[in-house]
Amino acid sequence: MTQAGDEEALEASENEAGLPLYLQVASTLRTAILREIYPVGTRLPTEEALCERFEVSRHTIREALRQLRNDGLITSRPGSRPIVASPLVRAPEVLARDIGADFFDYTIGTRLDIATMDMARIAPPLAHELGLPGDEEWLCVKGYRVNVEDGRATCWNEYFIRPDYALIGRLLKRHVGPVIPLLEDLFETRIARITRSISAVPMPSEACERLAAQAGAPALRIVVRSETPDGTVAFVNRSLHPRGTLTYAIQR
């Protein structure tokens, strides 16, 4: 596929996210950079070309580029086209976040098919297990992760989102891919620390229907804890993957 074709595919998925236009543009360009559609050292198209491609104003493009500069993904000087930055010159915390957001990320290329979503107190045993307060109402979202290409359910997901960020629930149904960039863009915050834990558990009955799995069969559970720079938990995500559907390999 050509560079233009790759970008069009990205734009088609991102424009379903329900975000402000400048955040949609920034998200599409960010993904293009991380996938090396725009390799390190190359220049992005001109503002005029981006305006034409995305059918938005110059102000929208400039706001999108500002987001990318803040992320350390591009550098620019007045009167010149932005250049894709090398990881070596990005701020350390941005580079760490890029790795944390993509490495081990099973949500890329999927959307959340929501089964239930409500503000509720987390049951005490689960709150204790996740290290979350049991005396506050958090946004609790459950559903299947679905591959956008073929509609196949890939895993069962549960999100427990701090009430400060509950507005994100309005966008989850249409959002494609990881939740972290969506939360960062929507609330102009940053996820500074991501902790993942992986364990083997029995598959619960509520997650079996669309995963061709049997209740009690071995499953892989991944718990992702995302925190802002001051250590506040933004959300915790639990996912369940049937045996044989997900493999992690690390080579040194």
Side-chain angles (χ1 to χ4, degrees):
M1 184 178 289
T2 65
Q3 177 174 307
D6 286 338
E7 289 180 271
E8 288 174 2
L10 290 172
E11 290 169 27
S13 64
E14 294 293 347
N15 286 342
E16 294 297 321
L19 294 172
L21 285 175
Y22 79 94
L23 293 181
Q24 291 183 29
V25 174
S27 182
T28 298
L29 292 175
R30 180 187 296 112
T31 304
I33 290 170
L34 294 177
R35 292 183 182 177
E36 297 187 334
I37 294 173
Y38 294 113
V40 170
T42 61
R43 293 185 181 274
L44 295 184
T46 63
E47 289 185 3
E48 182 179 358
L50 291 172
C51 288
E52 182 177 349
R53 177 176 303 158
F54 289 99
E55 298 182 348
V56 296
S57 69
R58 190 177 294 269
H59 174 74
T60 295
I61 293 300
R62 287 176 177 172
E63 282 299 300
L65 295 177
R66 182 178 63 81
Q67 293 282 321
L68 298 180
R69 281 194 295 272
N70 290 343
D71 285 349
L73 294 175
I74 62 172
T75 60
S76 60
R77 290 178 296 179
S80 63
R81 289 158 52 194
I83 299 175
V84 177
S86 166
L88 296 178
V89 302
R90 296 183 197 172
E93 67 272 11
V94 173
L95 178 59
R97 192 203 65 190
D98 289 345
I99 294 172
D102 293 331
F103 194 56
F104 287 162
D105 201 332
Y106 58 86
T107 65
I108 294 174
T110 69
R111 62 176 179 83
L112 187 62
D113 190 351
I114 298 174
T116 63
M117 178 168 59
D118 53 17
M119 296 295 298
R121 292 188 178 187
I122 304 171
L126 180 57
H128 178 74
E129 175 187 336
L130 300 178
L132 299 178
D135 57 351
E136 299 177 3
E137 288 193 342
W138 282 42
L139 180 65
C140 301
V141 185
K142 296 182 180 181
Y144 291 97
R145 275 277 167 189
V146 176
N147 192 316
V148 295
E149 293 184 354
D150 57 18
R152 178 177 56 88
T154 60
C155 64
W156 174 257
N157 261 209
E158 298 173 314
Y159 284 89
F160 305 93
I161 302 170
R162 178 172 291 280
D164 300 1
Y165 304 123
L167 181 63
I168 200 173
R170 297 182 181 181
L171 305 180
L172 285 179
K173 182 176 291 187
R174 291 179 291 171
H175 180 67
V176 174
V179 169
I180 288 175
L182 176 64
L183 185 143
E184 290 182 320
D185 284 346
L186 183 61
F187 296 99
E188 298 184 352
T189 187
R190 182 170 64 85
I191 297 301
R193 181 180 178 86
I194 302 171
T195 304
R196 287 180 173 87
S197 60
I198 303 174
S199 58
V201 298
M203 178 66 74
S205 57
E206 68 173 335
C208 291
E209 182 178 356
R210 295 174 59 184
L211 295 176
Q214 294 183 345
L220 189 68
R221 171 177 285 167
I222 303 175
V223 180
V224 180
R225 184 183 182 93
S226 299
E227 301 177 5
T228 57
D230 63 1
T232 299
V233 178
F235 71 88
V236 173
N237 168 231
R238 296 199 311 174
S239 61
L240 285 165
H241 307 259
R243 180 175 56 185
T245 60
L246 185 65
T247 300
Y248 285 151
I250 303 175
Q251 184 176 1
R252 295 185 60 185

